[in-house]
PDB file of all heavy atoms in Angstrom:
ATOM      1  N   MET K   1    -133.458 -10.499 -18.520  1.00  0.00           N
ATOM      2  CA  MET K   1    -134.440 -11.536 -18.908  1.00  0.00           C
ATOM      3  C   MET K   1    -135.341 -11.752 -17.648  1.00  0.00           C
ATOM      4  O   MET K   1    -134.918 -11.795 -16.575  1.00  0.00           O
ATOM      5  CB  MET K   1    -133.774 -12.920 -19.188  1.00  0.00           C
ATOM      6  CG  MET K   1    -134.649 -13.967 -19.603  1.00  0.00           C
ATOM      7  SD  MET K   1    -133.766 -15.500 -20.104  1.00  0.00           S
ATOM      8  CE  MET K   1    -132.733 -14.918 -21.226  1.00  0.00           C
ATOM      9  N   LYS K   2    -136.668 -11.868 -17.813  1.00  0.00           N
ATOM     10  CA  LYS K   2    -137.587 -12.160 -16.750  1.00  0.00           C
ATOM     11  C   LYS K   2    -138.379 -13.467 -17.050  1.00  0.00           C
ATOM     12  O   LYS K   2    -138.859 -13.722 -18.102  1.00  0.00           O
ATOM     13  CB  LYS K   2    -138.575 -10.940 -16.737  1.00  0.00           C
ATOM     14  CG  LYS K   2    -139.555 -10.946 -15.593  1.00  0.00           C
ATOM     15  CD  LYS K   2    -140.519  -9.651 -15.719  1.00  0.00           C
ATOM     16  CE  LYS K   2    -141.430  -9.755 -14.608  1.00  0.00           C
ATOM     17  NZ  LYS K   2    -142.281  -8.591 -14.570  1.00  0.00           N
ATOM     18  N   PHE K   3    -138.477 -14.188 -15.909  1.00  0.00           N
ATOM     19  CA  PHE K   3    -139.067 -15.418 -15.903  1.00  0.00           C
ATOM     20  C   PHE K   3    -140.545 -15.296 -16.237  1.00  0.00           C
ATOM     21  O   PHE K   3    -141.192 -14.464 -15.539  1.00  0.00           O
ATOM     22  CB  PHE K   3    -138.919 -16.278 -14.583  1.00  0.00           C
ATOM     23  CG  PHE K   3    -139.598 -17.626 -14.605  1.00  0.00           C
ATOM     24  CD1 PHE K   3    -139.194 -18.652 -15.407  1.00  0.00           C
ATOM     25  CD2 PHE K   3    -140.619 -17.808 -13.890  1.00  0.00           C
ATOM     26  CE1 PHE K   3    -139.807 -19.918 -15.459  1.00  0.00           C
ATOM     27  CE2 PHE K   3    -141.365 -18.989 -13.800  1.00  0.00           C
ATOM     28  CZ  PHE K   3    -140.880 -20.044 -14.551  1.00  0.00           C
ATOM     29  N   GLY K   4    -141.066 -16.009 -17.277  1.00  0.00           N
ATOM     30  CA  GLY K   4    -142.615 -15.880 -17.699  1.00  0.00           C
ATOM     31  C   GLY K   4    -143.578 -17.019 -17.082  1.00  0.00           C
ATOM     32  O   GLY K   4    -144.704 -16.715 -16.928  1.00  0.00           O
ATOM     33  N   GLY K   5    -142.883 -18.156 -16.771  1.00  0.00           N
ATOM     34  CA  GLY K   5    -143.708 -19.172 -16.330  1.00  0.00           C
ATOM     35  C   GLY K   5    -143.245 -20.582 -16.715  1.00  0.00           C
ATOM     36  O   GLY K   5    -142.117 -20.716 -17.283  1.00  0.00           O
ATOM     37  N   VAL K   6    -143.968 -21.514 -16.448  1.00  0.00           N
ATOM     38  CA  VAL K   6    -143.767 -22.952 -16.720  1.00  0.00           C
ATOM     39  C   VAL K   6    -144.968 -23.665 -17.392  1.00  0.00           C
ATOM     40  O   VAL K   6    -146.087 -23.320 -16.990  1.00  0.00           O
ATOM     41  CB  VAL K   6    -143.206 -23.761 -15.516  1.00  0.00           C
ATOM     42  CG1 VAL K   6    -144.235 -23.825 -14.408  1.00  0.00           C
ATOM     43  CG2 VAL K   6    -142.657 -25.079 -15.909  1.00  0.00           C
ATOM     44  N   CYS K   7    -144.714 -24.428 -18.335  1.00  0.00           N
ATOM     45  CA  CYS K   7    -145.780 -25.263 -18.999  1.00  0.00           C
ATOM     46  C   CYS K   7    -145.458 -26.662 -18.846  1.00  0.00           C
ATOM     47  O   CYS K   7    -144.336 -27.160 -19.160  1.00  0.00           O
ATOM     48  CB  CYS K   7    -145.954 -24.960 -20.419  1.00  0.00           C
ATOM     49  SG  CYS K   7    -147.291 -25.771 -21.261  1.00  0.00           S
ATOM     50  N   PHE K  37    -152.886 -21.181 -15.258  1.00  0.00           N
ATOM     51  CA  PHE K  37    -152.980 -20.767 -13.765  1.00  0.00           C
ATOM     52  C   PHE K  37    -151.934 -19.664 -13.580  1.00  0.00           C
ATOM     53  O   PHE K  37    -150.964 -19.937 -12.965  1.00  0.00           O
ATOM     54  CB  PHE K  37    -152.650 -21.925 -12.976  1.00  0.00           C
ATOM     55  CG  PHE K  37    -153.657 -23.082 -12.927  1.00  0.00           C
ATOM     56  CD1 PHE K  37    -153.369 -24.222 -13.738  1.00  0.00           C
ATOM     57  CD2 PHE K  37    -154.763 -23.113 -12.095  1.00  0.00           C
ATOM     58  CE1 PHE K  37    -154.296 -25.238 -13.884  1.00  0.00           C
ATOM     59  CE2 PHE K  37    -155.724 -24.160 -12.199  1.00  0.00           C
ATOM     60  CZ  PHE K  37    -155.506 -25.184 -12.940  1.00  0.00           C
ATOM     61  N   GLY K  38    -152.111 -18.525 -14.224  1.00  0.00           N
ATOM     62  CA  GLY K  38    -150.987 -17.583 -14.020  1.00  0.00           C
ATOM     63  C   GLY K  38    -149.696 -18.088 -14.663  1.00  0.00           C
ATOM     64  O   GLY K  38    -149.595 -18.147 -15.926  1.00  0.00           O
ATOM     65  N   LYS K  39    -148.667 -18.202 -13.859  1.00  0.00           N
ATOM     66  CA  LYS K  39    -147.374 -18.626 -14.333  1.00  0.00           C
ATOM     67  C   LYS K  39    -147.170 -20.187 -14.547  1.00  0.00           C
ATOM     68  O   LYS K  39    -146.203 -20.618 -14.885  1.00  0.00           O
ATOM     69  CB  LYS K  39    -146.309 -17.997 -13.453  1.00  0.00           C
ATOM     70  CG  LYS K  39    -146.286 -16.549 -13.619  1.00  0.00           C
ATOM     71  CD  LYS K  39    -145.014 -16.014 -12.977  1.00  0.00           C
ATOM     72  CE  LYS K  39    -145.056 -14.523 -13.109  1.00  0.00           C
ATOM     73  NZ  LYS K  39    -143.826 -13.955 -13.656  1.00  0.00           N
ATOM     74  N   VAL K  40    -148.260 -20.935 -14.205  1.00  0.00           N
ATOM     75  CA  VAL K  40    -148.318 -22.397 -14.473  1.00  0.00           C
ATOM     76  C   VAL K  40    -149.346 -22.759 -15.512  1.00  0.00           C
ATOM     77  O   VAL K  40    -150.436 -22.454 -15.410  1.00  0.00           O
ATOM     78  CB  VAL K  40    -148.531 -23.094 -13.099  1.00  0.00           C
ATOM     79  CG1 VAL K  40    -148.454 -24.640 -13.296  1.00  0.00           C
ATOM     80  CG2 VAL K  40    -147.523 -22.814 -12.012  1.00  0.00           C
ATOM     81  N   ALA K  41    -148.849 -23.435 -16.442  1.00  0.00           N
ATOM     82  CA  ALA K  41    -149.717 -23.826 -17.569  1.00  0.00           C
ATOM     83  C   ALA K  41    -149.747 -25.343 -17.608  1.00  0.00           C
ATOM     84  O   ALA K  41    -148.661 -25.968 -17.484  1.00  0.00           O
ATOM     85  CB  ALA K  41    -149.425 -23.295 -18.916  1.00  0.00           C
TER      86      ALA K  41
END
Side-chain angles (χ1 to χ4, degrees):
M1 186 178 304
K2 186 176 179 182
F3 179 72
V6 62
C7 180
F37 296 92
K39 293 192 179 232
V40 176

